[in-house]
Amino acid sequence: MSGLRFARVFRGRRLSGRRRIRGHGGMREVAPQAGARPTGRRRTAAILLGLLLLGPAQACRPAADGPNPTPVPVDQETLDAMSLAPEPGLELRRPADRAGYDVGHYLLELDLSRPASGRLEAVATLRGDLAAGADRVDLDFIGLDVRSVLVDGVPTEFGRGGSVLTIGPFEPSAGVAEREIRIAYGGAPQNGLFFGEDRDGEPTVFADNWPNRARWWFPSNDHPLDKATARFEVLAPEAYEVIANGRLVETRPGAAGGTTWIWETDPEAPIPSYTMVVGMARFERRPLGGAGCGLSPAAPPGPTGGETCADVSVWALAGDGDYGAERFARAPDMLDFYSDLIGPYPYEKLAHVESSTRFGGMENSSAIFYGRGAWEERRMGEGVIAHETAHQWFGDAVSPASWYHLWVSEGFASYFSPLYFEARDGVEAFRSMMRTSRETVAGSDVVGQAIVDSSSNQLFDLLNRNNYQKGAWVLHMLRHEVGDEAFFRGIRDYYARHLHGVAHTADVRAAFERASGQDLGWFFRQWVHAPGHPQLEIEWGAEGPDLLVSIRQAQPPEWPPFVVEVELEVEGGPADGERASVRMETREATLRIPGAGGADGLVFDPDVSALATVELRRR
């Protein structure tokens, strides 16, 4: 979709021609803008309230343990080599350690027919390419008993060490060769796959993998660098239903009772292990209709052919079906909006599932899981629904290549969620949300850290306000910097280039430099790779008929001086409503507003376009 088309979605708002005052400090003058209050550089996005985005996740976040590692360079794909999720017994391996076996497909046969026991029996069949000369394979797997291992149908030795299952040795190949590994296993999962009950005491089973907990219930390359397709064949008791990624291929009677549900992802749409999930319960299903029609290439054709549409539905636990249908009424429209704005919807369907996830929402590919508490207490927010829907594009279809670049997932979802509401509900509420979000960033416990920061070895520590709200603000200010057309051209280019792959911050920068024709190194250095934000001290007072404004960046010296545009609006007096701005490129600047000496006050950043805190003082 072109920038012009996007402008129509947002009621035709375009960038104004307002002048910027550029310079390196000193005295600058600007003529007041005549007429009514200008639209300025109107921006059509805002940040989710911290409560909506981070409250549920933070509330469930385990306490960190273990020493901090020595930071490593932020542009390496092996950043998370030193990461340790706050779960017992994990040994995280470098992506290079997984390079010997590139998994292309998982077939997971799961027997969940006795959910009250808290146990499963399973067979995982992995198909992938084995590197030339490799005589063994290491997979992430922990906690469950391995019954047997076959490599290309041949029984093979295996060993366990920490969270690693080592298979082999076996005869190596002279070149890269496809190998099939079949692992029979079972037991009671201690993490990743959770056996519980609904409000009526009926058993439920739900996967919850983020960030690297898939290994607790199936052997995998448990890192987003190694995406793969998946097929799930799940045996459930009678009257139970199963939801998983992809499309429902069929249901068939189990050999000894129950029903086997078969779900399969599109062969052209690999997904990361942390979004591969199953859920089993006595669901109340509610169809919400088709969406993304003509823009959902992975969706199966309808009964009459024609353009494909992704089915959108609610899968609620007992007693919550009607509430889910009401609360998720705009979910199909959200999918339509993002398909038109970003690019085609990448998956077969979109199910919104009430589950036992520890998070407020978890963006599993084509099957979003939401924490049940918000459903049962009737407090599910539409902001969470939009956030998780946006993740289908950013986080799922384009995943972070390193956990330390998590903002390319969470920051993007945190920005594109409010875009939907501004397009549908108007801009003023979102300026208020942006102000609240800005206050959240300013008061966060990670304000002194860069967004891309390798100082912590706890993956759950990355669920912070830098990767969510500040990441969203980075996109908002980038849009302000390059303009609407270049911004959304860059978004679509970034998405198309990395679809079904992974990306770093450098890939985001490259996309926007291509789209804008600008060198944006300075922008990403100050906003992504450096800590903090401008902390402005603004003094103003009359000087004859004019208003003289002094501006100083007073942030700590270890934070950089930021390049930032400071816009002010006059309150009261003959110049009431007039605006003036200065582009600060050093720590100090001054601004003279002719004819505004009778002002009663100043409003900082009236369009809410700058991530900064401010202290206004009258001389």
Side-chain angles (χ1 to χ4, degrees):
M1 161 172 101
S2 71
L4 290 174
R5 188 176 179 191
F6 180 83
R8 288 199 297 272
V9 172
F10 281 89
R11 302 180 180 88
R13 289 196 294 273
R14 306 293 296 162
L15 292 175
S16 78
R18 187 177 71 244
R19 288 189 296 128
R20 285 177 173 172
I21 305 170
R22 301 182 183 272
H24 299 277
M27 187 72 71
R28 297 290 184 268
E29 294 190 5
V30 59
Q33 295 165 286
R37 296 188 181 190
T39 59
R41 296 180 183 270
R42 303 280 174 156
R43 287 294 175 265
T44 58
I47 312 307
L48 281 176
L49 293 172
L51 177 63
L52 289 176
L53 283 185
L54 287 179
Q58 296 281 20
C60 299
R61 193 164 103 194
D65 59 2
N68 286 336
T70 301
V72 294
V74 297
D75 290 328
Q76 295 182 6
E77 289 194 359
T78 56
L79 268 177
D80 45 353
M82 300 296 292
S83 303
L84 292 174
E87 310 286 353
L90 293 188
E91 298 172 5
L92 295 195
R93 298 175 292 127
R94 297 174 183 267
D97 296 333
R98 302 177 177 85
Y101 190 55
D102 179 9
V103 181
H105 182 74
Y106 295 90
L107 167 60
L108 301 180
E109 301 170 79
L110 307 174
D111 183 349
L112 301 179
S113 60
R114 296 180 296 115
S117 72
R119 301 178 63 86
L120 84 155
E121 292 295 323
V123 176
T125 304
L126 286 62
R127 293 199 309 270
D129 292 332
L130 186 66
D135 67 349
R136 67 192 66 223
V137 168
D138 286 343
L139 296 171
D140 297 303
F141 194 49
I142 184 172
L144 298 177
D145 297 327
V146 176
R147 319 289 195 212
S148 64
V149 175
L150 303 177
V151 177
D152 294 334
V154 178
T156 304
E157 295 179 5
F158 62 89
R160 308 295 292 272
S163 64
V164 176
L165 170 65
T166 299
I167 299 170
F170 44 78
E171 189 67 27
S173 299
V176 175
E178 183 177 84
R179 291 292 179 95
E180 180 180 277
I181 300 175
R182 184 180 187 273
I183 304 162
Y185 62 97
Q190 301 302 301
N191 206 329
L193 189 69
F194 296 90
F195 291 74
E197 296 180 346
D198 65 16
R199 66 173 70 180
D200 294 334
E202 297 290 344
T204 64
V205 182
F206 289 103
D208 196 28
N209 297 343
W210 197 95
N212 58 351
R213 293 180 294 139
R215 66 189 66 194
W216 287 91
W217 63 281
F218 69 93
S220 60
N221 272 347
D222 199 7
H223 189 283
L225 276 173
D226 193 9
K227 290 184 167 182
T229 56
R231 179 181 173 100
F232 306 88
E233 299 185 2
V234 184
L235 178 61
E238 294 293 346
Y240 283 75
E241 295 179 309
V242 174
I243 183 67
N245 312 102
R247 68 182 181 92
L248 181 61
V249 177
E250 64 172 317
T251 59
R252 61 186 181 214
T259 302
T260 298
W261 293 68
I262 301 175
W263 291 87
E264 190 167 33
T265 64
D266 185 88
E268 302 300 322
I271 61 178
S273 57
Y274 74 85
T275 71
M276 294 180 182
V277 294
V278 297
M280 187 187 80
R282 292 178 181 266
F283 287 112
E284 295 181 2
R285 282 197 272 174
R286 299 290 188 273
L288 300 178
C293 295
L295 291 171
S296 300
T304 60
E307 62 183 13
T308 61
C309 302
D311 284 334
V312 183
S313 59
V314 163
W315 293 58
L317 296 179
D320 293 337
D322 291 342
Y323 170 75
E326 174 190 355
R327 181 75 290 196
F328 287 81
R330 290 209 286 185
D333 187 55
M334 292 175 186
L335 194 150
D336 283 336
F337 176 75
Y338 294 128
S339 298
D340 195 35
L341 177 61
I342 303 165
Y345 179 63
Y347 303 120
E348 303 84 351
K349 56 100 176 44
L350 185 55
H352 296 276
V353 184
E354 182 182 3
S355 79
S356 59
T357 177
R358 69 172 62 180
F359 307 108
M362 179 58 215
E363 63 268 19
N364 309 308
S365 306
S366 78
I368 300 170
F369 284 8
Y370 300 86
R372 60 185 288 186
W375 294 64
E376 293 177 351
E377 297 168 17
R378 301 300 189 255
R379 55 178 175 81
M380 173 65 66
E382 281 192 310
V384 175
I385 301 169
H387 178 92
E388 303 303 332
T389 301
H391 262 313
Q392 302 299 298
W393 284 261
F394 301 118
D396 294 5
V398 180
S399 304
S402 163
W403 292 120
Y404 289 114
H405 294 253
L406 182 62
W407 83 278
V408 306
S409 171
E410 296 299 347
F412 274 63
S414 298
Y415 188 69
F416 277 78
S417 169
L419 279 177
Y420 171 78
F421 295 103
E422 185 173 18
R424 298 299 189 253
D425 300 341
V427 65
E428 293 304 324
F430 292 90
R431 288 182 178 160
S432 175
M433 292 175 69
M434 291 188 74
R435 293 185 188 99
T436 300
S437 182
R438 182 164 58 193
E439 292 170 3
T440 299
V441 174
S444 96
D445 58 359
V446 293
V447 69
Q449 300 172 15
I451 290 178
V452 177
D453 175 70
S454 59
S455 64
S456 175
N457 64 359
Q458 306 294 342
L459 293 185
F460 279 84
D461 284 350
L462 299 177
L463 297 178
N464 59 43
R465 284 153 176 81
N466 275 351
N467 282 310
Y468 283 76
Q469 286 97 333
K470 188 176 180 182
W473 263 100
V474 167
L475 292 176
H476 188 52
M477 291 183 295
L478 182 59
R479 185 178 172 197
H480 184 77
E481 183 67 30
V482 303
D484 278 5
E485 287 197 34
F487 179 81
F488 287 101
R489 185 165 58 246
I491 286 291
R492 291 187 288 274
D493 173 51
Y494 168 76
Y495 177 70
R497 283 176 181 262
H498 300 285
L499 176 63
H500 302 313
V502 296
H504 284 103
T505 300
D507 299 310
V508 180
R509 173 185 165 183
F512 287 107
E513 288 185 339
R514 286 190 298 270
S516 66
Q518 300 179 32
D519 180 353
L520 295 170
W522 66 270
F523 181 92
F524 284 88
R525 281 192 297 272
Q526 73 175 28
W527 291 117
V528 179
H529 296 294
H533 53 265
Q535 294 181 338
L536 303 177
E537 294 180 351
I538 300 177
E539 291 189 348
W540 59 277
E543 187 171 275
D546 303 334
L547 193 68
L548 186 65
V549 183
S550 299
I551 308 169
R552 185 171 78 91
Q553 295 192 33
Q555 60 266 20
E558 57 268 25
W559 298 4
F562 289 85
V563 177
V564 60
E565 183 169 328
V566 178
E567 184 174 50
L568 301 169
E569 182 174 283
V570 176
E571 282 189 323
D576 180 52
E578 293 173 354
R579 296 185 183 185
S581 64
V582 61
R583 184 176 177 89
M584 294 190 72
E585 297 180 353
T586 60
R587 288 190 179 264
E588 295 186 355
T590 56
L591 176 66
R592 181 183 294 274
I593 307 177
D600 298 322
L602 288 176
V603 175
F604 167 72
D605 191 25
D607 288 337
V608 196
S609 298
L611 177 57
T613 58
V614 63
E615 181 181 345
L616 280 163
R617 293 192 296 266
R618 185 170 191 167
R619 279 195 296 270

